[in-house]
């Protein structure tokens, strides 16, 4: 029998989580910061709708300075940084909204929210409640309980992941039961709260020791049985152990008034909350409020399990098409539509190599058709018949096709011989173009936000984890409902987003650049690129040997063995044992990141930092590319098929995954060698690489209109040598290598807002020299300084930066009173214009080249796009004829006021094509 549910929100933890959520900055009409407020309220609405709490309460911390644990240890939480300046007012606003909703708020001076939550669990254990602690704080693990005295249980609920953790889940994921949580933390401490633990003992080791000796005290009593290092550290911790135990143990006896009935949650008082949301400009949340009114707001509304099966429109009509007659009728109806939405179901996330399971269609809200071609639980249609019957409709360019992440569906259908035409509207890309700062452009997130409807999660059909099945193994009736709903929701999103797009400043960008690019990327993904696995295997062995050598060298210099991959152990070696200066501290301790190691490499004589840097680079390349790339080869094609993402970067640049080709390093020898493994895969063909030359600097010259810079590009001078000559007052032929390097660093640094400090660090020069160079640079090129200032001023006035094709990136940072955020906003104000415009240029070029390929003017196949370069597979006998065509299409895609240069080279692999 189900027990009534009590949800206790860990208030400040969820407020902080909302503040740091990956969500765009928001402000109210009056200028009040509201991002955290919006995210918190949205999350709270999700909890109320999906979890249906019978009782609801929120617990809050009091000041760190007054909490009783400070009396035990004055250093408790002493490492905490003050909150960002725009967080406290949002926290106050959130508290006022929760109060307006009638949710009791618990506070007690001197105690933390965790103690109040522990006390509530203790007090209400005999009331037959299922208690959910709304938090992901490990400190609360000690409260988990499968069976309370009065029935019910205590569980953790993570609203961000919609994940419940009970005792069994804790044991499975972390290796210990709730009753041992205090013992574990007594040994490990808590670096987040500055609570010390035994040096060198983490959670896994602590769990093993506690399992063996029963408790932290038991570990101490059996110190002689531990390893010599563990014994030394445990004994050194003996005096601190009882203090740490006190600090990590939650109080269950806090005195405060609480009436359980006051926490009963009948629903949201819409009329009390609505004026607050209207004041804050929360239009979408206000609409969601009204939906609670329509549902009665009461806790007795149908539970989540039933809600998931409800169609987005009352009386939705979802039909299974698994007879030839029904398929013929569907094809006839589709042929009469000016537009329709469609979606594919497959056996895998990667489209190339995935097996088609079925197709779904919709052209009217509340309707959907599903055509299965694979199922182990019901009757399906032969894929050949489906292709023959629906192919003419899908390949008819006169019928507009709508979809969510259409590229995936285009690639899947290419595998069965269907070249979809009439690609018109992708709801994912429309969302990105209209609002690039939106938290998610996925269908489920957009449905919740724009339709206030939560689609059936795929996990309802195929499960999770090790018991997960493929969708063709799921119940066919449920698959029909799920797939048809996808098409239905996509169509309804299209109706909303197409209206938002119509007449907007983004209409031309969307229809003329982003949508045509979908077909280009689908073709690239379908083509893929060949790999030489023998090269990678050889690299793997060489890297492994070098890493072993580096490990021995590092250990020799340290005087003992340690785990180089452990940040904590490395920090101990560098700062405690070697006595090197601490460069930077983070919330988790002393930093040993790349910047820190580079600084130590420059400023100290220690041999360890450069060796660790080399070790890390090899480990990263080996794990990310060398050992992983062969696993990504598709068995059917023998090629790697990277996925190219249009919505991955707010500047509009393309990103890639599986593998991430944008991050293959080109400045190190090891990184360059990885490129040699990408090879030509067809006989009598070659790889042709076309690379824009210094395109972002040319875009800068176009925008800033600096006469000297433009003239240098027009006359074909070495731009870095030219700038070095100008700044240093020497003839261009007299420019030294160091002078050119400094000029190059500044030229590219401008695009990314590099400071004198950054330039000094990258060139290993003094800060004063860097400042002098930058000052002289802007003295020589005043229009660049003017352009930068104009970019920043335009953002201050309009709130966004804009690219050459009209792509906009909102930049709220310039309104902050935090100097670091303002500086970041200024950098991206300039970077968005330059980098985003360069991205616009290569996208247009790709579209033009794709068109030339389709028209038969080019026989090359486009395989990859990485930053400013395109990689083709070209018949050798066509290289001479096609090189000038590709160059012309790339240089004329978007006219600039300076010449656009493209370097083109060919070779048997990606590396040699670059040389």
């Amino acid at each position: 029998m189900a027990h009534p549910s009590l949800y206790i929100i860990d208030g400040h933890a969820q407020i902080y989580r909302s503040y740091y959520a990956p969500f765009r900055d928001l402000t109210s009409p009056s200028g009040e910061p509201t991002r955290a407020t919006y995210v918190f309220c949205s999350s709270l609405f999700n909890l109320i709708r999906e979890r249906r709490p019978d009782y609801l309460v929120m617990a809050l911390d009091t000041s760190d300075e007054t909490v009783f644990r400070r009396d035990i240890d004055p250093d408790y939480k002493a490492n905490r940084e003050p909150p960002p300046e725009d967080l406290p007012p949002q926290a106050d606003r959130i508290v006022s909204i929760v109060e307006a909703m009638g949710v009791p708020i618990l506070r007690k001076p001197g105690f933390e929210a965790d103690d109040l939550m522990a006390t509530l669990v203790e007090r209400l254990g005999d009331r037959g409640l299922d208690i959910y602690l709304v938090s992901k704080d490990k400190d609360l693990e000690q409260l988990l309980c499968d069976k309370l005295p009065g029935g019910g249980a205590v569980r953790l609920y993570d609203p961000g992941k919609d994940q419940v953790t009970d005792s069994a889940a804790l044991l499975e994921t972390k290796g210990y039961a709730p009753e041992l949580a205090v013992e574990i933390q007594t040994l490990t401490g808590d670096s987040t709260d500055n609570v010390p633990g035994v040096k060198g003992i983490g959670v896994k080791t602590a769990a093993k020791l506690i399992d063996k000796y029963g408790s932290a005290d038991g570990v101490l009593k059996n110190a002689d049985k531990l390893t010599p290092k563990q014994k030394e550290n445990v004994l050194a911790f003996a005096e601190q152990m009882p203090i740490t135990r006190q600090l990590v143990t939650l109080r269950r006896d806090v005195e405060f008034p609480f009436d359980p009935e006051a926490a009963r949650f009948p629903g949201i008082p819409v009329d009390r909350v609505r004026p607050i949301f209207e004041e804050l400009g929360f239009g979408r949340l206000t609409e969601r409020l009204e939906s609670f009114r329509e549902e009665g707001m009461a806790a007795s509304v149908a539970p989540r399990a039933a809600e998931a099966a409800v169609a987005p429109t009352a009386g939705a009509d979802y039909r299974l098409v698994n007879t030839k007659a029904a398929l013929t009728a569907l094809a006839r109806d589709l042929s009469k539509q000016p537009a329709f939405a469609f979606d594919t179901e497959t056996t895998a996330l990667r489209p190339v190599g995935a097996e088609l399971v079925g197709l779904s269609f919709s052209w009217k809200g509340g309707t959907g058709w599903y055509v299965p071609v694979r199922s182990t639980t019901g009757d399906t249609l032969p894929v050949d018949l489906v292709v023959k019957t629906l192919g003419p409709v899908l390949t008819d360019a006169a019928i507009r096709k709508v979809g969510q992440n259409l590229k995936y569906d285009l690639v899947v259908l290419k595998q069965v011989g269907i070249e979809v035409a009439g690609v018109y509207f992708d709801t994912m890309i429309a969302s990105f173009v209209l609002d690039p700062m939106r938290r998610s452009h996925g269908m489920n997130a957009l449905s919740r936000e724009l339709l206030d409807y939560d689609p059936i999660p795929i996990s309802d059909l195929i499960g999770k984890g090790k018991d997960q099945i493929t969708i063709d193994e799921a119940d066919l009736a449920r698959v029909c409902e799920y797939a048809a709903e996808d098409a239905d929701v996509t169509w309804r999103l299209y109706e909303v987003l197409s209206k938002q797009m119509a007449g907007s400043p983004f209409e031309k960008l969307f229809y003329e650049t982003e949508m045509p690019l979908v077909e280009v990327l689908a073709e690239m993904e379908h083509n893929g690129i060949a790999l030489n696995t023998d090269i990678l295997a050889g690299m793997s062995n060489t890297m492994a040997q070098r890493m072993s050598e580096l490990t021995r060298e590092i250990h020799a210099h340290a005087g003992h063995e340690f785990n180089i991959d452990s940040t904590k152990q490395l920090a101990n070696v560098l700062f405690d044992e070697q006595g090197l200066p601490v460069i930077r501290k983070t919330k988790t301790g002393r930093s040993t990141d790349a910047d820190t190691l580079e600084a130590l490499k420059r400023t100290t004589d220690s041999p360890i930092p450069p060796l660790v840097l080399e070790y890390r680079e090899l480990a990263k390349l080996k794990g990310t590319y060398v050992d992983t790339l062969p696993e990504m080869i598709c068995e059917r094609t023998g090629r790697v098929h990277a996925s190219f993402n249009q919505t991955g970067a707010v500047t509009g640049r393309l990103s890639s995954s599986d593998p991430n080709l944008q991050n293959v390093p080109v400045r190190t020898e090891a990184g360059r060698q990885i490129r040699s493994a990408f090879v030509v895969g067809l006989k009598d063909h070659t790889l042709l690489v076309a690379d824009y030359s210094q395109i972002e600097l040319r875009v800068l010259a176009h925008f800033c209109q600096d006469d000297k810079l433009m003239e240098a590009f027009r006359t074909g001078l070495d731009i870095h040598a030219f700038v070095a000559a100008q700044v240093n007052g020497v003839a261009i032929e007299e420019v030294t290598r160091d002078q050119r390097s400094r000029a190059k660093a500044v030229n590219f640094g401008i695009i990314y807002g590099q400071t004198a400090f950054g330039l000094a660090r990258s060139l290993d020069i003094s800060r004063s020299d860097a400042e002098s160079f930058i000052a002289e640079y802007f003295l020589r090129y005043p229009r660049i300084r003017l352009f930068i200032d104009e970019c920043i001023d335009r953002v201050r006035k309009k709130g966004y930066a804009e690219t050459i094709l009209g792509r906009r990136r909102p930049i709220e940072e310039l309104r902050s009173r935090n100097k670091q955020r303002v500086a970041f906003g200024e950098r991206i104000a300039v970077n968005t214009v330059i980098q985003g415009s360069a991205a616009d240029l290569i996208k247009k070029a790709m579209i033009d080249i794709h068109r030339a390929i389709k028209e038969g003017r080019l026989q090359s196949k486009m395989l990859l796009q990485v930053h400013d370069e395109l990689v083709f597979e070209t018949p050798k006998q066509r290289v001479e004829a096609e090189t000038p065509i590709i160059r012309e299409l790339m240089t004329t895609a978007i006219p600039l006021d300076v010449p656009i240069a493209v370097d083109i080279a060919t070779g048997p692999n990606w590396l040699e094509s670059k040389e």
Side-chain angles (χ1 to χ4, degrees), residues 583-584 595-596 598-600 602-603 745-746 749 753-775 820 827:
I583 304 297
R584 186 168 64 91
D595 288 342
T596 297
E598 288 286 359
L600 293 173
R602 291 194 309 269
T603 60
V746 173
Q754 189 177 51
T755 62
F757 175 79
L759 179 64
R761 186 173 61 180
S762 65
L763 294 179
D764 196 16
I765 61 177
S766 70
R767 187 166 180 173
S768 60
D769 284 350
E771 289 173 345
S772 298
F773 193 93
I774 292 175
Q820 288 183 326
R827 290 196 297 272

Side-chain angles (χ1 to χ4, degrees), residues 558-672:
H560 62 87
E561 294 186 0
F562 69 98
N563 183 0
I564 300 171
D565 298 313
S566 166
T567 299
K568 188 173 182 179
Q569 292 184 35
L570 178 60
N572 288 338
V573 169
L574 293 175
F575 307 122
D576 296 334
E577 299 174 10
Q578 299 286 311
L580 301 184
V582 175
I583 304 297
R584 186 168 64 91
K585 288 186 177 181
T586 67
K587 291 182 178 179
T588 58
R590 297 166 295 183
S591 174
T592 61
D593 64 8
D595 288 342
T596 297
L597 294 175
E598 288 286 359
L600 293 173
K601 176 182 174 181
R602 291 194 309 269
T603 60
T604 73
D605 295 329
S606 173
I608 295 179
L611 293 174
V612 173
L613 282 168
E614 183 182 355
Y615 174 89
R616 283 185 178 175
E617 184 205 4
L618 292 175
K620 180 178 180 180
L621 293 178
K622 189 174 185 293
T624 305
Y625 295 107
V626 177
D627 292 342
T628 305
L629 282 171
E631 299 173 0
M632 296 181 177
I633 295 176
C634 174
E635 289 185 15
R636 187 177 62 80
T637 67
R639 293 186 171 221
V640 169
H641 301 265
S643 177
F644 292 90
N645 183 5
Q646 286 173 262
T647 63
V650 291
T651 57
R653 295 185 78 173
L654 293 172
S655 61
S656 62
S657 57
D658 300 323
N660 180 358
L661 299 170
Q662 318 295 331
N663 284 353
V664 176
V666 295
R667 294 182 180 179
T668 63
E669 181 59 29
R672 286 190 291 270

Side-chain angles (χ1 to χ4, degrees), residues 712-784:
F713 279 122
R714 286 171 182 153
T715 55
L717 294 176
D718 178 337
I719 193 66
H720 303 312
F722 173 78
V723 169
Q726 291 270 306
V727 173
N728 290 284
V730 299
I732 192 168
E733 59 270 13
E734 296 176 5
V735 170
T736 67
R737 186 173 182 178
D738 285 345
Q739 288 173 334
R740 185 181 184 278
S741 294
R742 293 188 187 189
K744 182 177 181 180
V746 173
N747 280 335
F748 286 117
I750 285 170
I751 300 168
Y752 301 101
Q754 189 177 51
T755 62
F757 175 79
L759 179 64
R761 186 173 61 180
S762 65
L763 294 179
D764 196 16
I765 61 177
S766 70
R767 187 166 180 173
S768 60
D769 284 350
E771 289 173 345
S772 298
F773 193 93
I774 292 175
E776 185 65 28
Y777 182 95
F778 284 125
L779 187 64
R780 293 282 182 176
Y781 305 102
R783 295 223 32 111
I784 295 179

Side-chain angles (χ1 to χ4, degrees), residues 48-61:
I48 292 169
R49 168 166 282 121
E50 297 176 10
R51 306 300 299 184
R52 307 296 183 185
D54 296 303
Y55 298 86
L56 185 61
V57 66
M58 185 163 83
L60 291 175
D61 296 332

Side-chain angles (χ1 to χ4, degrees), residues 314-332:
D317 184 9
Y318 293 158
R319 300 185 184 183
L320 181 65
V321 180
N322 61 350
T323 67
K324 185 175 181 180
L327 180 67
T328 302
L330 174 61
R332 182 180 62 248

